[in-house]
């Protein structure tokens, strides 16, 4: 069956785009009629950017898991909903049909209700990339509990911060996870986190690795025992909750310019429509295709394009537990061949890390099924774009460069595979409903083409952020205050002579390391926790594989003179960062300095530090306003 709102050609794209901007009520009202609702909406969209208040499909009631599972049962009950490829290629893969997914989700939703979780309760999920993670997420959505998935690489402290902020009452986890040749403990990290917070009364633990863990009686519950309990007691499965269109579906924490991650809140109906609409249009999904998104469900890409987008479209979605380079750099290609993958969606960092191994890992791999290739999360350089297009796609599979953010819920600017033109390193054109605007430093709108500025969005779209959990003012301040009447993305952008958009990177103090967003302030806070550190400043610098690397300038309370002491201290700082945030935030370079370039008012001149880290030592700009201009020379001398 063709999806009626799937764009078929360039002319139709332009027509739909036009209509979506001129008459969003009718446009998004029409799209929404193709979903299952319990009650219809009273109005399609109401929006007031000055207060960061937007609602979509107000008055409607629905359950998103009925749209992702139940409604497909008749036609696709026996089709694979989820294919699970384990970390170890020697172990068998698993398939959950739509019928099996239905059974497991409905059953686990009943477990959650049985242990006392109610609609609106916050449930944190800290698991590896296994099918039970998908089941846990969907089971929360089924009963109207708000899920907050925490990436499995985050530390105990990061879990505690998120649990406290969301006042979560339950954590779902597993004993451990596999990643390449490593076994990663998860439950022990949760145990540590729970020493730092006190709102959690239940921890549900899925047994995956079988490693020995401690279970705290009265608090910790085995997943399988809970399932058995409701089976044995013959407790009937819970009906899916009927929630309001604007009922929060999930919280996902993401980094900003301050030290404290913010809980981006997405609500049910608008997010569902946006995840689905963007999935079927950007990837030009066709019935029965296998979609392989290599992201982790701990990030927004996994939420929207492993789970809600593909499942709402009745697709087969592939979940991979491992990493691209283990047991060898042909792992992705083996998976694509083995499961006849049609759509591959990955990050430029993964592409660059595989390019390093040359073409050999691709040889002999049958990738002829691949129809669409996607990238996300960071700018893609032309070299990586061409390698992906030529070596992986054999120039037969359009590459879509999708620009979006945790806050946008789904893809905002991207070519539509095979429908609208691609241009290497450009995200190209906005999706229907998306009106981009470029702003100059003074807050003026930049008109015309061949220009660049700060990227804003001028109109509401269904998948937009609704609030930052527990602090709506922060949402207003962060996104809707820099430019009155616009949502500000935090990204710099250029618009070429044809009106194609190219995202150039963050213009705020947020780094993008291997496609992961990391706030410089968060890393600085972590470094400063080391007792020997007085102050630090963190900036990004270009990194061949990771896109950006982390460069830390650190002032110590006493000078270290010998190399050995310096090395020990660096190791200690890295350990602190790992403990406070997680290994993804570890600086690549740590330079000990005697001072930082500050203005007379005490503000660190990051621009100068960035240039030094980039190795651009000539044009440092005006340094005369610095409190101590000589400090710059001493930093340059010690550059790593
Ligand atoms: C960056 C990931 C260039 C951008 C979905 C954005 C990109 C941040 C692209 C959001 C792209 C994402 N080209 N840059 N195609 N996609 N970005 O919230 O800086 O983890 O603001 O969402 O990643 O990262 P987030």
């Amino acid at each position: 069956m063709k999806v009626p709102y799937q764009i078929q050609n360039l002319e139709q794209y332009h027509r739909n785009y036009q209509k979506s901007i001129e008459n969003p009520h009718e446009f998004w009202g029409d799209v929404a009629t193709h979903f299952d609702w319990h009650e219809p909406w009273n109005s399609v969209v109401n929006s007031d950017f000055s207060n960061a208040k937007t609602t979509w499909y107000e008055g409607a009631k629905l359950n998103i898991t009925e749209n992702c599972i139940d409604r497909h049962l008749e036609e696709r009950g026996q089709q694979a909903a989820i294919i699970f490829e384990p970390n170890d290629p020697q172990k068998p893969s698993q398939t959950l049909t739509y019928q099996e997914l239905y059974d497991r989700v409905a059953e686990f939703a009943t477990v959650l209700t049985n242990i006392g979780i109610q609609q609106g309760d916050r449930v944190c999920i800290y698991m590896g990339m296994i099918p039970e993670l998908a089941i846990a997420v969907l089971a929360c959505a089924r009963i109207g509990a708000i899920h907050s998935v925490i990436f499995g690489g985050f530390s105990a402290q990061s879990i505690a911060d998120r649990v406290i902020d969301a006042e979560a009452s339950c954590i779902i986890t597993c004993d451990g996870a596999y990643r390449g040749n490593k076994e990663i403990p998860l439950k022990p990290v949760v145990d540590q986190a729970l020493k730092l917070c006190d709102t959690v009364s239940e921890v549900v633990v899925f047994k995956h690795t079988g490693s020995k863990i401690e279970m705290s009686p009265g608090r910790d519950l085995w997943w399988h025992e809970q399932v058995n309990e409701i089976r044995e007691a013959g407790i009937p499965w819970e009906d899916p909750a009927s929630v309001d269109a604007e009922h929060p579906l999930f919280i996902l924490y993401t980094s900003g310019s301050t030290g404290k991650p913010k809980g981006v809140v997405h609500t049910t109906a608008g997010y569902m429509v946006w995840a689905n609409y963007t999935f079927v249009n950007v990837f030009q999904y066709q019935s029965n295709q296998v979609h392989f998104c290599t992201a982790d469900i701990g990030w927004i890409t996994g939420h929207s394009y492993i789970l809600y987008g593909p499942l709402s479209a009745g697709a087969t979605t592939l979940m991979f537990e491992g990493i691209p380079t283990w047991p060898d750099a042909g792992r992705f290609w083996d998976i694509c061949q083995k499961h006849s993958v049609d759509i591959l969606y990955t990050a430029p960092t993964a592409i660059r890390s595989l390019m390093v191994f040359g073409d050999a890992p691709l040889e002999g791999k049958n990738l002829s099924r691949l129809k669409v290739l996607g990238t996300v999360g960071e700018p893609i350089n032309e070299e990586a774009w061409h390698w992906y297009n030529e070596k992986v796609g054999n120039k037969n599979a359009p590459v879509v460069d999708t620009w979006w953010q945790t806050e946008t819920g789904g893809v905002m600017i991207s070519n539509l595979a095979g429908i609208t033109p691609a241009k290497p390193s450009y995200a190209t054109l906005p999706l229907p409903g998306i009106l981009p605007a470029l702003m100059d430093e003074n807050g003026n709108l930049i008109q015309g083409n061949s220009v660049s500025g700060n990227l804003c969005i001028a109109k509401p779209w269904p998948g937009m952020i609704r609030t930052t959990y527990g602090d709506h003012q922060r949402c207003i301040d962060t996104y809707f205050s820099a430019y009155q009447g616009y949502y500000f993305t935090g990204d710099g952008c250029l618009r070429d002579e044809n009106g194609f958009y190219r995202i150039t990177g963050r213009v705020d103090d947020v780094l993008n390391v291997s496609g992961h967003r990391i706030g410089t302030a968060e890393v600085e806070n972590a470094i400063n926790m080391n007792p020997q550190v007085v102050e630090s400043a963190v900036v990004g610098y270009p990194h061949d594989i990771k896109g950006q690397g982390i460069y830390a300038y650190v002032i110590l309370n006493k000078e270290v003179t010998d190399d050995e002491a310096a090395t020990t201290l660096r190791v200690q700082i890295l350990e602190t960062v790992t403990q406070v945030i997680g290994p993804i935030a570890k600086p690549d370079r740590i330079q000990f300095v005697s001072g930082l370039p500050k203005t007379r008012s005490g503000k660190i001149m990051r621009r100068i530090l960035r240039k030094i880290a980039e190795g651009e030592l000539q044009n440092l700009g005006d340094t005369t306003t610095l409190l101590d201009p000589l400090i710059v020379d001493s930093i340059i001398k010690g550059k790593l």
Side-chain angles (χ1 to χ4, degrees):
M1 195 196 82
K2 278 247 170 292
V3 184
Y5 47 86
Q6 187 174 55
I7 296 167
Q8 304 295 322
N9 53 52
L10 186 59
E11 189 265 332
Q12 196 188 358
Y13 161 76
H14 287 300
R15 227 179 332 117
N16 283 8
Y17 184 78
Q18 192 79 11
K19 178 169 175 189
S20 73
I21 299 299
E22 282 166 9
N23 194 345
H25 293 265
E26 193 181 320
F27 187 85
W28 294 111
D30 285 349
V31 171
T33 57
H34 300 282
F35 293 79
D36 281 358
W37 304 88
H38 298 172
E39 301 277 346
W41 49 93
N42 304 322
S43 60
V44 173
V45 51
N46 292 298
S47 184
D48 170 9
F49 273 16
S50 64
N51 289 310
K53 288 273 181 220
T54 297
T55 62
W56 282 87
Y57 307 112
E58 209 177 323
K61 283 188 177 288
L62 74 158
N63 186 287
I64 192 169
T65 68
E66 287 181 320
N67 284 278
C68 288
I69 310 173
D70 307 34
R71 68 171 175 153
H72 305 310
L73 291 179
E74 199 177 323
E75 203 183 326
R76 308 185 180 280
Q78 300 315 308
Q79 180 200 306
I82 295 179
I83 297 174
F84 168 61
E85 175 63 28
N87 176 62
D88 183 349
Q90 306 299 329
K91 288 195 185 153
S93 45
Q94 285 173 37
T95 296
L96 284 178
T97 62
Y98 270 96
Q99 182 63 53
E100 287 163 339
L101 183 63
Y102 171 86
D103 292 347
R104 302 265 329 255
V105 169
E107 188 173 63
F108 193 65
T110 309
V111 165
L112 292 179
T113 306
N114 200 40
I115 63 173
I117 312 296
Q118 295 179 358
Q119 188 168 323
D121 287 353
R122 277 78 57 213
V123 175
C124 287
I125 304 179
Y126 185 70
M127 298 176 89
M129 279 286 289
I130 55 176
E132 285 69 21
L133 165 55
I135 291 165
V137 166
L138 293 165
C140 286
R142 193 142 180 107
I143 64 169
I146 303 168
H147 57 77
S148 165
V149 183
I150 303 172
F151 171 60
F154 277 125
S155 66
Q157 181 66 54
S158 297
I159 299 173
D161 293 344
R162 286 157 175 74
V163 165
I164 293 167
D165 190 76
E167 294 170 277
S169 58
C170 172
I171 297 189
I172 306 173
T173 186
C174 48
D175 43 6
Y178 300 109
R179 240 179 104 70
N181 57 9
K182 291 198 204 110
E183 194 179 311
I184 315 277
L186 293 174
K187 172 64 166 58
V189 185
V190 170
D191 290 341
Q192 254 182 302
L194 292 186
K195 292 195 182 116
L196 308 169
C197 51
D198 59 8
T199 54
V200 172
S201 45
E202 284 89 24
V203 179
V204 183
V205 188
F206 181 77
K207 187 182 267 186
H208 176 53
T209 57
S211 56
K212 202 170 149 26
I213 54 166
E214 280 173 24
M215 295 290 279
S216 161
R219 185 194 75 187
D220 298 352
L221 309 164
W222 282 109
W223 175 305
H224 59 272
E225 287 181 4
Q226 293 305 307
V227 168
N228 281 341
E229 199 173 302
I230 61 159
R231 281 187 194 164
E232 277 158 22
I235 297 176
W237 290 347
E238 202 62 26
D239 280 338
S242 190
V243 305
D244 289 336
E246 285 296 333
H247 179 66
L249 175 63
F250 64 85
I251 307 171
L252 191 54
Y253 286 84
T254 190
S255 297
S257 326
T258 72
K260 193 170 167 267
K262 40 185 185 270
V264 172
V265 175
H266 283 288
T267 57
T268 308
Y271 172 80
M272 169 183 78
V273 169
W274 190 240
N276 176 280
Y277 182 86
T278 52
F279 174 72
V280 301
N281 279 297
V282 170
F283 301 105
Q284 288 291 304
Y285 166 73
Q286 307 295 318
S287 215
N288 296 312
Q289 284 186 335
V290 177
H291 175 77
F292 177 18
C293 166
T294 71
D296 192 289
I297 292 178
W299 310 115
I300 190 70
T301 305
H303 281 59
S304 301
Y305 301 109
I306 295 178
L307 296 179
Y308 291 112
L311 293 175
S312 64
T316 297
T317 184
L318 196 152
M319 273 179 82
F320 173 43
E321 184 186 22
I323 56 171
T325 47
W326 190 84
D328 59 52
R331 188 71 171 113
F332 274 3
W333 322 129
D334 286 331
I335 296 173
C336 288
Q337 177 173 319
K338 177 173 172 190
H339 298 292
S340 300
V341 169
D342 297 280
I343 306 169
L344 174 65
Y345 190 31
T346 194
T349 289
I351 299 170
R352 288 189 294 258
S353 72
L354 293 174
M355 274 170 76
V356 171
F357 294 88
D359 304 345
L362 278 157
E363 273 158 25
K365 306 286 156 75
N366 181 358
L367 301 179
S368 59
R369 266 284 286 262
L370 282 177
K371 288 180 193 64
V372 175
L373 301 174
T375 74
V376 58
E378 47 180 327
I380 183 162
N381 47 313
E382 288 204 32
E383 197 191 352
W385 194 98
H386 286 294
W387 188 83
Y388 199 33
N389 184 40
E390 286 161 29
K391 307 291 176 176
V392 180
N394 203 15
K395 293 195 183 170
N396 257 331
V399 174
V400 290
D401 176 355
T402 65
W403 172 81
W404 58 294
Q405 310 179 293
T406 304
E407 295 85 345
T408 71
V411 178
M412 302 286 280
I413 304 182
S414 172
N415 48 320
L416 310 182
I419 303 286
T420 63
K423 178 171 177 182
S425 82
Y426 279 71
T428 72
L429 297 172
L431 264 81
I434 304 308
L435 189 58
L438 299 186
M439 299 293 178
D440 70 16
E441 302 285 298
N442 305 318
N444 299 316
L445 187 66
I446 305 171
Q447 310 272 8
N449 287 342
S450 303
V451 290
S452 55
N454 289 347
L455 178 63
C456 292
I457 307 294
K459 275 175 165 283
W461 66 99
M464 69 189 287
I465 179 175
R466 296 302 197 272
T467 189
T468 41
Y469 192 82
D471 188 356
H472 189 68
Q473 190 60 41
R474 192 168 176 199
C475 180
I476 300 175
D477 294 345
T478 313
Y479 305 107
F480 296 95
S481 298
Y483 304 99
Q484 288 298 311
Y486 293 87
Y487 164 83
F488 176 44
T489 66
D491 280 326
C493 181
L494 69 82
R495 184 162 57 214
D496 77 0
E497 63 283 7
N498 298 313
F500 284 21
Y501 291 88
R502 176 189 190 160
I503 311 304
T504 48
R506 303 286 309 190
V507 293
D508 53 8
D509 292 327
V510 174
L511 305 180
N512 193 327
V513 180
S514 302
H516 302 319
R517 256 167 87 165
I518 299 171
T520 51
E522 276 174 86
V523 184
E524 288 162 6
N525 288 350
I527 294 174
N528 296 352
M529 281 180 195
N530 186 299
Q532 295 193 50
V533 172
V534 175
E535 197 182 359
S536 62
V538 163
V539 296
Y541 70 98
H543 187 287
D544 282 350
I545 291 179
K546 302 202 276 188
Q548 267 189 315
I550 303 180
Y551 198 118
Y553 299 90
V554 176
I555 305 177
L556 299 172
N557 58 9
K558 62 173 187 295
E559 210 180 327
V560 279
T561 39
D562 65 295
D563 287 354
E564 204 178 318
T567 307
T568 312
L569 199 49
R570 284 199 179 90
V571 171
Q572 282 172 1
I573 290 173
L574 295 181
E575 271 166 17
T576 314
V577 174
T578 306
Q579 267 165 23
V580 177
I581 308 175
I584 54 168
K586 281 197 295 197
D588 299 271
R589 293 183 185 163
I590 299 173
Q591 179 180 348
F592 298 126
V593 294
S594 56
L596 293 166
K598 287 189 181 171
T599 59
R600 275 172 234 279
S601 59
K603 201 170 161 295
I604 298 175
M605 297 278 277
R606 286 167 187 285
R607 178 177 52 79
I608 294 176
L609 293 175
R610 238 177 263 133
K611 288 218 159 145
I612 298 176
E614 286 166 8
E616 226 193 277
L617 305 178
Q618 301 309 319
N619 273 315
L620 290 179
D622 184 11
T623 53
T624 53
T625 55
L626 290 179
L627 197 58
D628 174 11
L630 292 180
I631 204 71
V632 175
D633 295 332
S634 90
I635 295 176
I636 291 176
K637 271 204 206 101
K639 183 181 164 359
L640 300 173

